[in-house]
Amino acid sequence: MAAGHTGAMLATIGVLSVLSASGSGPMADVEAGGEAEWVEPWDEPWDGAVFRSPSALGTVGVAQSRGSQRPGKDLPVLLWWSPGLFPHFPGDSERIECARGACVASRDRRLRGDPRTRALLFYGTDFRASDAPLPRLVHQSWALLHEESPLNNFLLSHTPGIRLFNLTATFSRHSDYPLPLQWLPGTAYLRRAATPLQERAEWRRRGYAPLLYLQSHCDVPADRDRYVRELMRYIPVDSYGKCLQNRELPTPRLQDTTTATTEDPELLAFLSRYKFHLALENAICDDYMTEKLWRPMHLGAVPVYRGSPSVRDWMPNNHSIILIDDFESPHKLAEFIDFLDKNDEEYMKYLAYKQPGGITNQFLLESLRRREWGVNDPLLPNYLNGFECFVCDHELARLDAEKAHAASPGDSPAPEPHIAQPSHMDCPVPTPGFGNVEDIPENDSWKEMWLQDYWQGLDQGEALTAMIHNNETQQKKFWDYLHETFMKRNQNL
């Protein structure tokens, strides 16, 4: 999801409820094979329903409060500064009930200077330095929801950018409200039976390649097409998207993106005949894993993966995916895929997680059990509502600590501000998908676009930090940058 993220994220999440203090289902006995089984609404045989984007944006329904339907007059206010996340509730404000108590979630910007407004909430893709609500008020926390990659906003990949915020909900396990498994509904999604090898062998005899590539978003920060183009020199790859396309999808309906999405059941049945799927994320960040990884595993294909450097931590077992970066060259990778393609016994080891007891990664199982939100689950809050309540609870606790300090300064210290850390994004400088950056010509579209955007993000972060800390020299740099950006934009219109 990138430039067209709003459209891509308009997927139904289901009826939402407000986060309660309860967690996921209880742990049960551990199977002999080492896989912990536990009860969840989704943990039954997958019914074949289309898996929808778990994004917070979209037709999210109405946040229902357990108490009065009128927002409370004396409750802490959480002000959403990102209009792209609405409609989120009817009207301008809504009372929400959370574990520690109640707050008011609002989108009414007139409340920004109100002393009851304790937190400003931002959606990272929409956050722009030019729209930052300055001056920043000392009694307010800034909270960031940004489950997307840095492709959408490089400012947040830099220390000055991320440290503008007090609280975060990102794909990183190190963020305050972690969302690394936002694309994985549960273990049943992984256990779906794979297409039989005999059917896949017939598919190969009909002239199809062993390896599938399906991408229509080209020239991304991870520069994935450059690697795939080199890999194609050594092994057949069927590419169906706009990027490196060499085959057409089987029917006009599937070829038309207005009538078929990447989660269309007919399309998934078609994709499931391939033994290997190239799964390359649009950016490289720790814990950033999307449907590009989980969908092939759901279908019973082996992901040939490049993305999160920490991906091994999250796999169902130690033999689930092929990591591109384990191979010294695309040629060596092609040789290994060819070996597995011709050796069914070795290939099936990569699908062992689909068997009883095959999911042995206790970290993955425990992470699924402990998360407080669900993916397309009407019985659990989605992470947008969960994040609201996380911020609400934090502000209620901060208020209590401030009151205790005011009543007895000697016994109760003033609460220390909580500051976000670079590890809450952890996305390094973009690098070429294949080859060295020095060997790529200056007019290369990837080099022009993403390296420039990365360093502009750093400039924005430093300038905005300076504005907050009232550094006169850096303030001028910030306004000069905004003026230059505005002028460029006008020239392009």
Side-chain angles (χ1 to χ4, degrees):
M1 299 181 214
H5 75 282
T6 303
M9 297 169 103
L10 291 178
T12 303
I13 295 177
V15 179
L16 305 181
S17 58
V18 174
L19 179 67
S20 68
S22 63
S24 299
M27 286 287 284
D29 294 334
V30 177
E31 292 182 347
E35 178 181 345
E37 292 294 332
W38 30 277
V39 178
E40 283 188 319
W42 60 72
D43 206 11
E44 64 274 343
W46 192 256
D47 63 3
V50 176
F51 173 55
R52 305 180 191 279
S53 163
S55 168
L57 293 184
T59 311
V60 297
V62 176
Q64 298 293 336
S65 60
R66 295 193 185 94
S68 167
Q69 294 302 304
R70 297 181 59 193
K73 292 183 178 180
D74 300 318
L75 298 178
V77 175
L78 316 178
L79 177 59
W80 278 102
W81 203 255
S82 300
L85 279 111
F86 292 96
H88 174 49
F89 40 70
D92 287 331
S93 301
E94 176 79 13
R95 176 186 172 119
I96 60 173
E97 299 285 343
C98 302
R100 290 186 70 98
C103 291
V104 173
S106 179
R107 59 177 169 181
D108 185 353
R109 289 192 173 188
R110 293 173 298 178
L111 295 175
R112 180 186 161 246
D114 194 301
R116 296 171 302 167
T117 300
R118 298 285 299 181
L120 268 62
L121 279 61
F122 302 87
Y123 184 58
T125 297
D126 296 338
F127 183 80
R128 293 293 179 268
S130 57
D131 190 43
L134 300 177
R136 181 168 176 169
L137 304 182
V138 294
H139 72 284
Q140 290 175 350
S141 298
W142 280 18
L144 171 71
L145 172 65
H146 190 52
E147 86 289 19
E148 292 278 6
S149 82
L151 179 150
N152 292 30
N153 195 340
F154 272 116
L155 184 156
L156 304 173
S157 298
H158 301 283
T159 297
I162 195 67
R163 285 179 61 84
L164 294 169
F165 301 93
N166 303 101
L167 304 172
T168 61
T170 75
F171 50 77
S172 171
R173 75 185 84 180
H174 302 297
S175 66
D176 300 303
Y177 191 78
L179 306 171
L181 297 175
Q182 59 183 292
W183 286 95
L184 181 60
T187 55
Y189 184 74
L190 296 173
R191 292 194 188 103
R192 176 188 183 272
T195 301
L197 284 179
Q198 299 91 328
E199 186 174 334
R200 289 175 164 180
E202 175 59 28
W203 189 247
R204 297 281 280 108
R205 284 192 289 271
R206 290 170 57 186
Y208 289 91
L211 193 55
L212 166 91
Y213 189 49
L214 180 62
Q215 280 302 332
S216 291
H217 189 180
C218 316
D219 292 325
V220 296
D223 197 25
R224 54 195 171 202
D225 293 344
R226 199 183 307 270
Y227 187 91
V228 176
R229 187 180 294 110
E230 180 68 14
L231 182 65
M232 285 174 162
R233 294 177 57 196
Y234 307 105
I235 192 169
V237 177
D238 286 347
S239 182
Y240 291 96
K242 295 178 182 177
C243 309
L244 308 179
Q245 182 177 11
N246 58 21
R247 293 196 81 135
E248 290 280 1
L249 288 167
T251 66
R253 193 187 72 81
L254 292 181
Q255 294 165 18
D256 184 355
T257 56
T258 63
T259 57
T261 70
T262 54
E263 301 299 336
D264 183 276
E266 182 184 347
L267 177 62
L268 293 182
F270 176 79
L271 301 181
S272 69
R273 298 188 179 104
Y274 282 88
K275 294 171 72 173
F276 304 91
H277 288 197
L278 279 164
L280 292 85
E281 305 288 6
N282 64 35
I284 310 298
C285 311
D286 267 357
D287 298 338
Y288 180 64
M289 302 163 294
T290 69
E291 82 287 357
K292 295 174 187 65
L293 170 66
W294 301 114
R295 186 198 294 129
M297 300 181 77
H298 169 62
L299 297 177
V302 177
V304 181
Y305 184 77
R306 174 182 275 171
S308 166
S310 59
V311 67
R312 281 189 175 95
D313 293 349
W314 302 97
M315 289 300 93
N317 61 33
N318 291 330
H319 214 67
S320 309
I321 61 175
I322 298 171
L323 290 178
I324 287 174
D325 291 336
D326 283 349
F327 296 85
E328 63 184 48
S329 68
H331 190 187
K332 292 294 184 183
L333 173 62
E335 288 178 346
F336 184 69
I337 294 172
D338 185 60
F339 165 75
L340 292 181
D341 187 37
K342 295 173 180 175
N343 292 268
D344 289 349
E345 185 176 347
E346 291 298 317
Y347 174 82
M348 289 303 295
K349 290 179 181 178
Y350 282 84
L351 302 183
Y353 62 87
K354 292 187 174 293
Q355 304 304 315
I359 301 178
T360 58
N361 184 347
Q362 297 304 311
F363 176 70
L364 172 67
L365 292 167
E366 184 67 6
S367 298
L368 285 168
R369 186 185 72 84
R370 290 174 62 86
R371 69 182 182 186
E372 299 171 324
W373 42 271
V375 177
N376 302 323
D377 187 341
L379 302 180
L380 290 173
N382 81 329
Y383 55 70
L384 183 137
N385 290 84
F387 178 60
E388 276 185 341
C389 266
F390 171 78
V391 177
C392 174
D393 288 339
H394 178 273
E395 293 310 309
L396 290 171
R398 191 162 69 95
L399 272 172
D400 288 344
E402 289 173 358
K403 290 175 182 177
H405 174 68
S408 181
D411 297 329
S412 301
E416 292 287 332
H418 180 83
I419 305 296
Q421 299 299 311
S423 62
H424 294 196
M425 286 291 289
D426 205 5
C427 305
V429 181
T431 57
F434 178 76
N436 300 314
V437 68
E438 296 82 8
D439 301 328
I440 299 174
E442 290 304 316
N443 62 352
D444 180 84
S445 60
W446 172 85
K447 193 171 183 177
E448 285 183 340
M449 188 182 309
W450 298 114
L451 292 185
Q452 177 179 308
D453 281 5
Y454 180 85
W455 296 116
Q456 283 189 353
L458 176 60
D459 291 342
Q460 283 193 61
E462 289 179 338
L464 186 51
T465 300
M467 286 290 287
I468 289 173
H469 295 290
N470 205 29
N471 180 305
E472 187 173 336
T473 302
Q474 291 297 323
Q475 285 183 34
K476 183 178 184 308
K477 179 180 177 182
F478 174 66
W479 290 116
D480 287 347
Y481 168 79
L482 291 183
H483 175 72
E484 182 183 349
T485 302
F486 177 77
M487 294 298 292
K488 283 182 179 177
R489 221 174 260 161
N490 279 354
Q491 289 171 6
N492 293 331
L493 290 178

